Amino acid sequence: DQSIVYYQRDCSLITFYSLVLSKGINQFKMRLNHSFLSTFLTLYAALINTNANANANAETTSTSTSTSTKIIAEEEHEIGYIQSLKLQIPPLESVTSEFQQIEIYESKHYGKVFVLDECLQLTEKDAPHYNEMLAHIPIMEYIIMSMNMKKQKRIGSETQTETRMDMKPLKVLVIGGGDGYVVAELLKHSFVESIDHVELDQGVIDVSSDHFPWAKDLWKNEKVHLHIEDGAKFVQQKANALSESESTSESYGYDIIIQDSSDPF
């Protein structure tokens, strides 16, 4: 079944197993038992071998027309781990800003790849995995903390309980994240009233706007206020203004602060 082969390419064993169950494929019984698992694993192994052979044949036939590539690697010295990604060259764009070399590459499996000073920042395909966590988990935590459980009177033999959410419009500060993904995710929440986005390098903003769909018109949104400056200095200036002001923290402070800055080494 071609649908099985299609799903197997891009998901884990457990996910593939659940897909097989949900598809109700005729060759399998829906009860989980030893016979089912054995049959499933046999099929899975056969699919892996089939795909491996297909990939090998494809690489053999396309050698003469293949695009020139380079490999970018990242090593975690503390744990002895290294990962690499193959990029197509030349880059789609290469800009030298006041602070760094900014490059966008195309890749075969991960879409466009964003690189700063030869350090991988994100790829189009895996960017949601961590950017969604950076944006939505703080929002969800704030919502939970804002929920006020209040018990009502006992009516008959039952006690009714209502959940009340005292949500005010949120003010968010994002430091770094010049690719714009975190800010784009935050804007999915209608109760986010304003976002101060502090990015050191205007070049990162410009390149991201040109190449990533989520960033194309991001900083034109009336809720987003872009500040091209050092994040640490921006926060210190805000803190100083708050301490010198007689206004309440609601006027100058933030409900959520997200730091999405580059590695400091």
Side-chain angles (χ1 to χ4, degrees):
D1 191 316
Q2 287 301 314
S3 62
I4 306 178
V5 178
Y6 171 78
Y7 283 120
Q8 186 274 328
R9 292 190 189 122
D10 297 310
C11 61
S12 66
L13 175 62
I14 295 175
T15 305
F16 181 52
Y17 185 82
S18 66
L19 285 168
V20 171
L21 286 173
S22 64
K23 287 292 181 181
I25 298 171
N26 294 332
Q27 292 94 322
F28 303 118
K29 301 294 183 182
M30 296 311 293
R31 272 177 49 201
L32 178 60
N33 53 41
H34 178 74
S35 176
F36 177 90
L37 183 59
S38 176
T39 304
F40 167 77
L41 292 176
T42 301
L43 174 63
Y44 186 80
L47 287 171
I48 292 176
N49 291 334
T50 300
N51 283 349
N53 292 335
N55 290 338
N57 292 335
E59 289 184 5
T60 301
T61 56
S62 64
T63 300
S64 59
T65 60
S66 61
T67 306
S68 298
T69 60
K70 66 176 285 186
I71 293 177
I72 186 170
E74 290 186 345
E75 183 174 1
E76 296 291 340
H77 298 278
E78 295 178 356
I79 60 175
Y81 173 79
I82 188 169
Q83 63 179 5
S84 62
L85 183 64
K86 186 178 291 186
L87 310 175
Q88 297 176 4
I89 54 176
L92 299 175
E93 185 164 356
S94 181
V95 175
T96 302
S97 73
E98 179 183 354
F99 303 98
Q100 57 204 335
Q101 184 73 21
I102 307 167
E103 294 175 308
I104 302 290
Y105 291 90
E106 189 64 72
S107 68
K108 183 177 180 180
H109 301 290
Y110 290 91
K112 290 182 179 178
V113 180
F114 185 37
V115 177
L116 296 178
D117 287 338
E118 291 295 306
C119 291
L120 176 66
Q121 302 301 306
L122 64 75
T123 75
E124 283 185 301
K125 188 169 183 178
D126 72 356
H129 299 166
Y130 57 91
N131 282 295
E132 289 180 356
M133 301 300 101
L134 280 171
H136 299 305
I137 288 179
I139 292 286
M140 294 299 109
E141 183 178 6
Y142 190 90
I143 290 174
I144 292 171
M145 295 297 293
S146 301
M147 292 175 66
N148 182 18
M149 299 295 294
K150 184 173 67 174
K151 287 188 176 181
Q152 295 181 331
K153 293 182 179 180
R154 189 177 182 84
I155 301 176
S157 60
E158 297 182 355
T159 300
Q160 294 183 353
T161 304
E162 70 170 7
T163 301
R164 183 163 57 91
M165 287 180 57
D166 297 325
M167 286 297 298
K168 65 175 183 178
L170 298 188
K171 296 181 179 179
V172 184
L173 170 63
V174 177
I175 302 173
D179 56 80
Y181 210 116
V182 168
V183 174
E185 290 299 311
L186 290 169
L187 288 174
K188 293 179 179 180
H189 299 278
S190 60
F191 47 82
V192 171
E193 178 184 60
S194 67
I195 302 172
D196 277 343
H197 185 197
V198 184
E199 166 59 41
L200 180 65
D201 196 341
Q202 179 68 50
V204 172
I205 299 291
D206 295 339
V207 171
S208 298
S209 298
D210 291 340
H211 289 278
F212 299 124
W214 63 80
K216 182 178 180 181
D217 297 314
L218 180 67
W219 292 283
K220 297 178 182 178
N221 191 298
E222 61 182 9
K223 292 184 177 182
V224 181
H225 311 285
L226 179 62
H227 307 268
I228 302 299
E229 57 183 289
D230 181 85
K233 292 181 179 179
F234 180 88
V235 171
Q236 187 61 62
Q237 291 169 358
K238 279 285 185 178
N240 293 341
L242 183 59
S243 63
E244 296 171 0
S245 173
E246 297 179 357
S247 302
T248 61
S249 60
E250 283 81 4
S251 300
Y252 286 92
Y254 298 99
D255 301 295
I256 295 173
I257 298 176
I258 300 173
Q259 180 170 327
D260 184 19
S261 55
S262 301
D263 296 336
F265 52 84

